[in-house]
Amino acid sequence: VDLENPEEMEEEIPVVICAAAGRMGAAVAAISSIYSNTEANVLFYIIGLKTTIPHIRKWIENSKLKEIKFKVVEFNPMVLKGKIRQDASRPELLQPLNFVRFYLPLLIQKHEKVIYLDDDVIVQGDIQELYNTKLAPGHAAAFSDDCDLPSTHEMVRSVGMQNTYMGFLDYRKQAIRDLGISPSTCSFNPGVIVGNMTEWKHQWITQQLEKWMQRNVEENLYSSTLAGGVATSPMLIVFHGKYSSISPMWHIRHLGWSPDARYSEQFLQEAKLLHWNGRYKPWNYPSVHTDLWENWFIPDPSGKFKLIRPDS
């Protein structure tokens, strides 16, 4: 680094996004939205499985995304062997890449502060602002609280969503009761994470998460009815009372929860980050607010990934 020129030292913002088979268009739209809305020096870590990496690399290199700075990192699903209970109700939640967020320090080498994003998000604000989220001393991560926004409360009521620990953990199990966490505690959503890797390693977060995955295989501790419970529940346990908050407008979620529950357009204009968590994804049909998502989508040059629309 040239110390004579301080502007050369502009901090790199590492953003981790997974590129999963069948939903690569999601990662592409997320990356495209981030890149288009910031002047910051973003380095994208694109995490994939051996079989999917060539496809995403080709897509980036043969589209207008070829200007981005990115590293492709292969995730080896063998690390999950014996740690995941096979749940027949929503097999897509057991995709190995759902667990990448547990292993951030192993995938990202030299950065202390890291942003992790689910693939079904669009960023409308400047990612620098999210990166500037303050983490309290001793906190390894910041998340959005599920009780944070009145406008999302209406949404929660209208579609019957889970926003407390009760919805994620099975309180009939002794191991869960022994945690001493009230079932009415507000949950948080780990689809957007600002993490401090030094603290993460120092507190053995990855090992703690693995321990709770293992225990779930043996004792079935999580609410099985739950969408996303598999990757969320261990985080709710390990980070309970030990995380900082992300500004609510940086994680407007539940857009994929129902094919017809909508937010007001004005509210969505102001949102910095939109998250289609739930089953109704904006690249599929039916889904809501797809125009906001499609704005950033870049068609697959290989033609393999296609949007599903009512007329297709």
Side-chain angles (χ1 to χ4, degrees):
V1 178
D2 179 359
L3 296 176
E4 296 297 299
N5 286 336
E7 61 270 27
E8 294 284 306
M9 300 185 59
E10 182 199 3
E11 198 172 358
E12 211 169 42
I13 299 181
V15 175
V16 177
I17 292 188
C18 295
R23 35 193 295 166
M24 258 175 233
V28 165
I31 291 167
S32 140
S33 71
I34 293 164
Y35 182 65
S36 308
N37 286 309
T38 189
E39 295 291 303
N41 176 15
V42 180
L43 171 61
F44 292 98
Y45 278 87
I46 300 168
I47 318 289
L49 302 177
K50 195 184 228 108
T51 49
T52 56
I53 284 174
H55 185 186
I56 193 82
R57 193 186 280 285
K58 208 148 140 199
W59 197 328
I60 290 169
E61 288 167 357
N62 292 291
S63 72
K64 60 182 180 201
L65 288 181
K66 59 175 170 287
E67 293 136 28
I68 68 170
K69 274 176 39 185
F70 72 104
K71 277 186 178 157
V72 176
V73 180
E74 184 189 329
F75 182 67
N76 181 356
M78 287 310 289
V79 299
L80 301 172
K81 201 168 164 53
K83 297 188 188 79
I84 305 178
R85 172 180 273 282
Q86 294 307 318
D87 176 18
S89 65
R90 291 199 57 196
E92 75 275 15
L93 295 170
L94 298 178
Q95 296 294 349
L97 295 177
N98 258 335
F99 299 93
V100 159
R101 67 195 102 190
F102 290 16
Y103 296 95
L104 293 174
L106 301 174
L107 298 162
I108 306 302
Q109 298 305 316
K110 59 186 196 317
H111 303 273
E112 171 158 77
K113 199 174 192 183
V114 169
I115 293 173
Y116 165 89
L117 300 175
D118 274 353
D119 62 359
D120 50 0
V121 306
I122 286 296
V123 172
Q124 303 188 126
D126 182 343
I127 197 81
Q128 179 79 52
E129 209 180 296
L130 179 60
Y131 185 74
N132 293 345
T133 300
K134 293 261 181 291
L135 272 67
H139 283 178
F143 305 100
S144 273
D145 234 12
D146 283 335
C147 301
D148 59 7
L149 266 190
S151 51
T152 53
H153 293 182
E154 271 102 82
M155 197 75 158
V156 167
R157 279 198 295 277
S158 72
V159 294
M161 270 162 332
Q162 308 291 348
N163 64 350
T164 63
Y165 273 56
M166 180 84 184
F168 292 84
L169 304 177
D170 184 347
Y171 276 84
R172 294 167 306 189
K173 300 284 162 65
Q174 195 57 45
I176 296 302
R177 290 206 298 267
D178 288 347
L179 291 167
I181 302 172
S182 156
S184 60
T185 305
C186 261
S187 50
F188 56 80
N189 182 305
V192 176
I193 305 173
V194 181
N196 176 320
M197 297 300 99
T198 309
E199 279 298 334
W200 193 292
K201 289 186 279 210
H202 183 70
Q203 297 177 35
W204 300 87
I205 299 286
T206 298
Q207 291 80 352
Q208 291 189 60
L209 291 164
E210 289 189 320
K211 180 191 89 173
W212 283 103
M213 288 168 83
Q214 205 90 52
R215 286 198 69 173
N216 183 49
V217 171
E218 293 153 16
E219 305 169 50
N220 200 8
L221 301 175
Y222 308 147
S223 292
S224 51
T225 53
L226 202 86
V230 206
T232 300
S233 302
M235 296 199 88
L236 290 178
I237 295 173
V238 170
F239 284 102
H240 174 252
K242 291 203 291 275
Y243 64 91
S244 299
S245 286
I246 288 173
S247 145
M249 293 311 274
W250 268 101
H251 194 176
I252 301 304
R253 46 207 178 279
H254 312 314
L255 277 81
W257 203 269
S258 137
D260 39 34
R262 305 178 74 94
Y263 284 117
S264 83
E265 289 304 323
Q266 188 206 337
F267 176 66
L268 292 178
Q269 291 309 311
E270 291 163 17
K272 308 280 192 173
L273 181 147
L274 303 173
H275 187 187
W276 278 262
N277 58 316
R279 303 175 180 242
Y280 299 98
K281 303 299 188 196
W283 54 92
N284 284 335
Y285 179 83
S287 54
V288 292
H289 303 300
T290 45
D291 50 322
L292 290 170
W293 182 86
E294 223 172 300
N295 221 351
W296 303 108
F297 174 67
I298 297 169
D300 181 359
S302 79
K304 276 194 286 225
F305 180 94
K306 294 183 180 62
L307 298 183
I308 297 168
R309 294 298 178 246
D311 44 13
S312 60

